[in-house]
Amino acid sequence: MKRIIIALAILASMQVANAQVKSLDAAKAAVETAQAAADNAKKATKVATWLKLGQTYMDAYAAPQGAAWVGASKAELALVLRGQKALSTETVNIAGKDYVKESYATCDYYYDGDVLAMIDVTKPVYADALDKALNAYKKAAQIDIKGAKTKDITTAIKNIAEKYNGDAYNQYSLGDYLAASKLFEKSVEASATAPLNILDTNTVYNAAFTAHAGGDYNKAKDLFRKCIDLGYYANDGDAFAKLADVLKSLDDLEGSKDVLEQGFKVFPQSQGILIGLINYYQKSGKDSNRLFELLDEAKRNEPNNATLYSAEGDIRKQLGDFDGALNAYQESAKVNPDYAYAYIGQGILFYDKAVEIQEQANNEYDDAKYLKLVAEFEKNLKGCIEPFEKAIELAADDAATKTGVAEFLKNACYRFREESPEFAAKYEKYTKLAAGE
């Protein structure tokens, strides 16, 4: 009986494999037929010929992936796979996350729990199917002088750009950053192709980001510069901070500093830019007053911009100037009393100072000095409570900020919970808020 079951299982797997091969063969045959038409001088003058060729390449691109789609549940896939069994199944760890990998004859499926997260084609009909399809649609656009098929061609090219983009994200998720970068670049090229003519700056940034992650610093440098030239700076000017980091990796420290200063003028509140500038001036041994010169220039242009004073507080805090940082945060709150981060800056300043003193106290064996440090610790810890509470009041509609600040308040109030009913109530309140209740 056992031998019969094994034999039936082998037969079933052979039938599935044969079905897949036929599907791939049919896709390839369709491309060859369409290509033969395109190679025919008379037929090559017709838009329909190139549209057909482009579509057959798209079909060939999709064939190895099977009937599955990213985001499908296992229950949904059980219906469309019709009993098809994986050749092997294993758990793999990618970037610290476990996936169940199911391998088939032409592709691998990666499941995150019950959901298909990635499809990796291992046996394409044509490795350059999307490239070939794009070229076919380009040719169709050239021939379509009257624009009768512009809508169809635009839709097809947009689809190709999206496929490149999807494949790029797949490669990024699989940890192949350089492959992802190349595919993001191809997506940018497709989007810019006539008649679609879209400059996808977000994808340019993704190409730069993945080139940087993969260690291709020269490519990353060119792509980040392109982002900046196009006016695409990413979140809080992250393109400047990333380009500066790339130049630093290429030992161009002055170039890195120049980019950071350029970015600072546009995004003085950017933590990435600020930290980069602070690190430069600290490590280079050069006069850090240049940072405050930049801030003063920005303040003259925008005297009512509270973020500039908050940025000064961040810089002075990093440089170890507690009083200067506190004054800057307080000035930020005066300029805009509703700016939550002015109070968050004050709260973190006191909290971090308390943690620093606590560590000193833990290493102090002289009782008198220890008690003095404890008093100083508690003074600073209490000092963080009022500004943090003000920040929570101002961030009423920002759940993430409220939860983060509540975590600080919970820890601070824990120290004093037995000192008074007021602190006990605060501790209970912020414990719940930190937990999202």
Side-chain angles (χ1 to χ4, degrees):
M1 183 65 180
K2 185 176 180 181
R3 289 179 181 175
I4 294 173
I5 292 173
I6 292 172
L8 289 173
I10 293 172
L11 178 61
S13 66
M14 288 175 64
Q15 288 173 338
V16 169
N18 287 337
Q20 286 181 326
V21 169
K22 286 179 182 177
S23 175
L24 300 185
D25 285 346
K28 188 174 182 179
V31 168
E32 290 171 351
T33 300
Q35 185 63 62
D39 291 338
N40 182 285
K42 186 176 180 180
K43 293 181 179 179
T45 60
K46 297 179 179 179
V47 176
T49 299
W50 297 100
L51 291 177
K52 180 65 175 179
L53 181 60
Q55 184 57 58
T56 56
Y57 270 117
M58 292 301 293
D59 292 342
Y61 163 82
Q65 300 180 31
W69 67 95
V70 170
S73 68
K74 286 188 175 180
E76 290 171 322
L77 292 179
L79 297 175
V80 297
L81 293 179
R82 298 178 182 179
Q84 184 177 343
K85 302 296 182 182
L87 302 177
S88 65
T89 302
E90 61 180 320
T91 299
V92 295
N93 188 281
I94 302 172
K97 185 177 181 62
D98 285 339
Y99 296 88
V100 174
K101 173 185 174 183
E102 291 186 352
S103 295
Y104 295 86
T106 57
C107 63
D108 295 329
Y109 294 163
Y110 291 83
Y111 289 93
D112 180 4
D114 189 50
V115 177
L116 184 59
M118 293 176 282
I119 301 175
D120 184 34
V121 172
T122 56
K123 187 180 178 182
V125 179
Y126 296 97
D128 57 352
L130 290 179
D131 296 354
K132 297 286 191 182
L134 181 59
N135 287 334
Y137 288 118
K138 283 182 183 178
K139 186 67 176 178
Q142 291 169 7
I143 295 173
D144 186 30
I145 299 173
K146 294 182 179 180
K149 293 293 183 180
T150 295
K151 184 177 179 180
D152 293 340
I153 297 170
T154 299
T155 300
I157 293 176
K158 183 180 179 182
N159 184 35
I160 292 172
E162 290 171 351
K163 297 298 184 186
Y164 278 131
N165 216 32
D167 288 350
Y169 277 112
N170 258 0
Q171 292 305 312
Y172 174 77
S173 299
L174 291 167
D176 193 339
Y177 303 126
L178 294 181
S181 183
K182 290 178 182 177
L183 288 164
F184 279 130
E185 284 188 282
K186 285 179 177 290
S187 180
V188 171
E189 179 188 345
S191 292
T193 299
L196 184 56
N197 294 324
I198 292 176
L199 182 54
D200 188 351
T201 50
N202 180 67
T203 304
V204 175
Y205 179 84
N206 287 340
F209 182 90
T210 45
H212 183 202
D216 190 342
Y217 299 123
N218 284 306
K219 179 195 274 192
K221 177 183 71 174
D222 292 341
L223 289 169
F224 279 127
R225 282 199 188 282
K226 184 176 182 179
C227 287
I228 292 170
D229 290 343
L230 292 170
Y232 185 84
Y233 306 130
N235 296 330
D236 285 336
D238 192 54
F240 290 103
K242 291 292 186 186
L243 176 56
D245 192 52
V246 167
L247 292 171
K248 183 180 174 183
S249 298
L250 293 170
D251 294 324
D252 184 1
L253 298 184
E254 284 300 308
S256 177
K257 182 261 297 182
D258 291 343
V259 166
L260 288 169
E261 290 193 358
Q262 179 189 356
F264 181 80
K265 292 177 180 180
V266 187
F267 296 95
Q269 77 281 6
S270 167
Q271 290 298 302
I273 292 172
L274 281 174
I275 291 170
L277 281 169
I278 291 167
N279 288 340
Y280 171 80
Y281 283 104
Q282 284 181 327
K283 291 178 182 179
S284 67
K286 295 187 178 181
D287 187 3
S288 58
N289 283 330
R290 173 61 179 156
L291 290 168
F292 302 110
E293 290 174 7
L294 291 167
L295 272 169
D296 289 341
E297 181 183 343
K299 287 177 190 175
R300 283 193 294 272
N301 294 330
E302 297 182 82
N304 297 320
N305 188 341
T307 65
L308 297 174
Y309 298 90
S310 182
E312 180 181 347
D314 292 341
I315 292 173
R316 292 192 182 279
K317 178 179 183 293
Q318 289 290 332
L319 294 174
D321 181 3
F322 180 92
D323 291 337
L326 181 58
N327 288 336
Y329 289 131
Q330 289 173 338
E331 192 64 28
S332 177
K334 286 180 184 177
V335 170
N336 183 358
D338 296 328
Y339 184 52
Y341 286 94
Y343 302 97
I344 291 173
Q346 293 177 53
I348 292 175
L349 184 68
F350 280 110
Y351 188 92
D352 287 353
K353 184 68 174 177
V355 170
E356 178 187 331
I357 295 169
Q358 183 183 43
E359 291 174 355
Q360 294 175 19
N362 290 338
N363 295 319
E364 181 55 67
Y365 295 100
D366 183 290
D367 287 346
K369 291 180 180 179
Y370 172 77
L371 291 174
K372 185 177 179 181
L373 285 169
V374 168
E376 193 177 350
F377 158 71
E378 291 186 341
K379 177 183 176 182
N380 279 278
L381 196 59
K382 283 184 178 179
C384 80
I385 294 174
E386 184 178 342
F388 273 146
E389 289 185 323
K390 182 64 176 177
I392 280 186
E393 177 188 331
L394 292 172
D397 298 325
D398 187 344
T401 298
K402 286 175 64 177
T403 301
V405 173
E407 186 68 31
F408 282 107
L409 282 166
K410 178 191 77 174
N411 295 338
C413 293
Y414 176 82
R415 172 75 181 187
F416 308 110
R417 70 194 188 285
E418 295 179 359
E419 184 178 296
S420 69
E422 179 187 0
F423 276 118
K426 285 178 183 286
Y427 171 66
E428 183 177 350
K429 172 185 176 181
Y430 295 124
T431 296
K432 290 180 179 179
L433 191 56
E437 296 179 15

